[in-house]
Amino acid sequence: SQTIHQWPATLVQPVGSPLSLECTVEGTSNPNLYWYRQAAGRGLQLLFYSVGIGQISSEVPQNLSASRPQDRQFILSSKKLLLSDSGFYLCAGSMGFDGYTFGSGTRLTVV
Amino acid sequence: DQQVKQNSPSLSVQEGRISILNCDYTNSMFDYFLWYKKYPAEGPTFLISISSIKDKNEDGRFTVFLNKSAKHLSLHIVPSQPGDSAVYFCAASPSRGALNFGKGTSLLVTP
């Protein structure tokens, strides 16, 4: 079975600082990987998804970027954080299509 | 544009009674629907799903009903238990595409 690992669990960063959130997958090969953000009153918003190494699709233009340097590694980054980047970030993976397995999430607060 | 809508942000139900969570969608290409349950500071966990070839799927206390003509689905929890208190997300997808989530409904089951 597939397990999604995310870290850190919480992060407080100043405005203008860089960001790097890492997600790794265990138990499967060549999964589809996703980054979601849960912001207050906005549900789960799809940010990026990847069907393979180096393949990234962006759903929402914003201050963030994603990379997939290895099959089981998905990274969410920003060069300069904005206050509006605060939220709960979730990494998810899927194999074929049986729905997603989510990581435990990262609570990001930009101050 | 929100393609999956959960119009009730919160719901309170007494223990032992039925909880009914509703979800509407606008995209007629959606053919796979899922419900996820989320506790605070954790990633969502898969609860139950239904494909568009069915109108009902049952798993223990949880039943999902799909009305394709109305583009509406609902999750029934019977009997409701205090441990069911969580945020419930409805999600929908066109075949093997990325999941689109609603904003969630916060369910509170009171003793």
Side-chain angles (χ1 to χ4, degrees):
Chain A
S1 64
Q2 180 175 246
T3 305
I4 305 290
H5 299 281
Q6 258 188 269
W7 64 91
T10 60
L11 191 58
V12 179
Q13 292 283 101
V15 168
S17 64
L19 172 74
S20 180
L21 299 181
E22 187 162 348
C23 168
T24 58
V25 181
E26 185 181 308
T28 57
S29 298
N30 197 30
N32 293 338
L33 296 174
Y34 308 85
W35 277 109
Y36 280 86
R37 177 170 60 199
Q38 183 185 13
R42 299 191 64 182
L44 290 172
Q45 182 185 32
L46 178 63
L47 302 176
F48 301 95
Y49 69 93
S50 170
V51 298
I53 296 172
Q55 300 179 66
I56 309 294
S57 296
S58 173
E59 290 294 306
V60 182
Q62 60 209 324
N63 185 43
L64 301 168
S65 62
S67 62
R68 188 166 176 179
Q70 299 180 44
D71 179 47
R72 300 180 187 181
Q73 185 184 28
F74 201 27
I75 299 171
L76 183 70
S77 304
S78 173
K79 291 182 180 177
K80 288 185 179 181
L81 284 169
L82 306 172
L83 287 173
S84 58
D85 291 325
S86 293
F88 191 59
Y89 289 82
L90 288 155
C91 179
S94 68
M95 283 297 298
F97 199 75
D98 292 321
Y100 295 173
T101 301
F102 281 89
S104 53
T106 297
R107 169 71 61 192
L108 172 66
T109 303
V110 182
V111 296
Chain B
D1 181 34
Q2 197 81 19
Q3 297 186 71
V4 178
K5 299 178 183 179
Q6 293 176 257
N7 293 319
S8 298
S10 63
L11 176 67
S12 183
V13 171
Q14 239 180 345
E15 181 178 6
R17 302 280 185 118
I18 183 172
S19 295
I20 300 177
L21 296 94
N22 292 305
C23 177
D24 298 289
Y25 60 96
T26 58
N27 190 337
S28 58
M29 299 301 292
F30 289 154
D31 60 2
Y32 195 61
F33 306 89
L34 307 91
W35 284 94
Y36 281 81
K37 177 180 177 180
K38 184 182 180 301
Y39 294 113
E42 293 184 11
T45 54
F46 171 75
L47 194 56
I48 193 169
S49 64
I50 189 168
S51 73
S52 59
I53 62 172
K54 294 186 174 182
D55 54 18
K56 176 182 174 182
N57 188 27
E58 193 171 350
D59 183 2
R61 296 186 296 115
F62 302 92
T63 303
V64 56
F65 295 92
L66 176 63
N67 182 335
K68 290 185 289 294
S69 61
K71 293 192 177 68
H72 176 84
L73 64 155
S74 60
L75 175 68
H76 292 211
I77 307 173
V78 182
S80 301
Q81 299 173 356
D84 296 330
S85 298
V87 177
Y88 289 79
F89 288 98
C90 172
S93 166
S95 300
R96 297 180 171 269
L99 288 177
N100 295 265
F101 286 87
K103 292 186 178 182
T105 296
S106 179
L107 173 67
L108 177 64
V109 181
T110 57

